[in-house]
Every structure is written in structure tokens, then in C-alpha cells.
Amino acid sequence: MTLKEIDNLVKESGFASIGFLDEDGNPSIRRVFSTWHKGLGTHLISTNTSSQHVQALLKNNRACLYFDNCQTFQGVCFTGTVIVHFDHEHKALLWNEGDEKYYPNGVDDEDYCVLEFRADHGRYYRYDGIGDISAKELAEYDKETEFINYAQK
């Protein structure tokens, strides 16, 4: 797969699975809505501060983020770190009309936060092969990109 094909897979996925280690050191995974991307290396996810994955990521920020398309048998798994944002700027960026049903106190609800996943490398697969994506390739591909919400494209 080319980096452009991987980029299209990520943009078209809408959802991703985030892997992390829980407080007992056991691997765990959650399905998350993920439409905000800055190239291939950086992804934003809105979620509940009180959720198990956020609490675990605050203690150990290493994680993986997996995008796939089961219909075409292709996927990519990025490994990297997560920054948990509680500031108004990040939360307002991802806020959507109707989110108040999940966060009744609005954009500044204490149970609302944004995860910023930053990949340091990746691995992809498709019916025609498997390959690695280096940190250098991610940085070069993402050069001069900005965050875009692909759900609104």
C-alpha cells in the first residue's frame, strides 16, 4: 500500500480501535469515533474523562490506533503516545451540536476530554502485502498538514 492509500483508508474509516494497557497491565481495546486527522501521524478523539481508557492513558500514554476496512481486507496499526487534553480549545474544536446529551455541562464539561494520538511508526496490511511505516516516512508525509475533520467533508 502506498502512504496515500493508507491515508484514504484512515479518512474513510470514521472509527478506530485504540489499544492500551489497563491499570493491572492487561491489554485492552476500545472502539472510538475518529475523524480528525493531521496526515497519518496525528489523530484527535473526543471521549469521556471518566472512561477506563482515559484513566489508563493518564498513567501510561503508550497506545496503538488501528484503522481498518473489513470489506476490502486492509488495515493499518499505528503505535505511539497519547496526550489527554482538558483545555477549552481542543474540546471546542471537536464539539458537535448534540454532544450536550453526553456532556450536559457543555464544551467545558469535566467528563469531556480530547485524546491526541501521535504515531511514531506503523504497520499496514492488505490482500497484496504487509509493510512498515517509519517515523521518518510519517514526518515527511505529514509535513505542512493541518487538522481536518473528515466527517464534514
Side-chain angles (χ1 to χ4, degrees), residues 121-132:
H121 65 279
R123 185 161 178 83
Y124 63 86
Y125 73 88
R126 188 169 65 179
Y127 59 88
D128 61 350
I130 299 168
D132 294 316

Side-chain angles (χ1 to χ4, degrees), residues 25-147:
N26 296 312
S28 194
I29 196 161
R30 296 292 182 276
R31 193 79 167 149
V32 293
F33 187 61
S34 181
T35 62
W36 282 88
H37 312 290
K38 183 178 178 186
L40 289 174
T42 310
H43 311 274
L44 298 177
I45 301 159
S46 61
T47 192
N48 294 84
T49 304
S50 61
S51 65
Q52 180 190 28
H53 59 282
V54 171
Q55 296 308 302
L57 289 165
L58 286 168
K59 294 176 182 162
N60 178 354
N61 70 344
R62 296 293 299 164
C64 65
L65 195 61
Y66 182 79
F67 296 91
D68 68 306
N69 182 327
C70 295
Q71 304 300 317
T72 59
F73 193 66
Q74 56 185 341
V76 62
C77 184
F78 296 109
T79 301
T81 57
V82 171
I83 300 167
V84 183
H85 295 284
F86 301 101
D87 61 278
H88 179 84
E89 182 181 350
H90 279 91
K91 291 162 60 167
L93 180 65
L94 272 64
W95 188 261
N96 294 298
E97 185 176 325
D99 283 351
E100 59 277 353
K101 66 183 163 190
Y102 305 105
Y103 310 107
N105 294 324
V107 71
D108 293 312
D109 193 304
E110 289 183 13
D111 197 35
Y112 174 51
C113 66
V114 173
L115 305 180
E116 179 179 348
F117 178 87
R118 293 182 179 177
D120 50 42
H121 65 279
R123 185 161 178 83
Y124 63 86
Y125 73 88
R126 188 169 65 179
Y127 59 88
D128 61 350
I130 299 168
D132 294 316
I133 308 165
S134 70
K136 183 178 178 182
E137 289 173 301
L138 287 171
E140 183 64 30
Y141 188 83
D142 291 355
K143 194 169 37 176
E144 300 180 28
T145 59
E146 296 180 20
F147 278 112

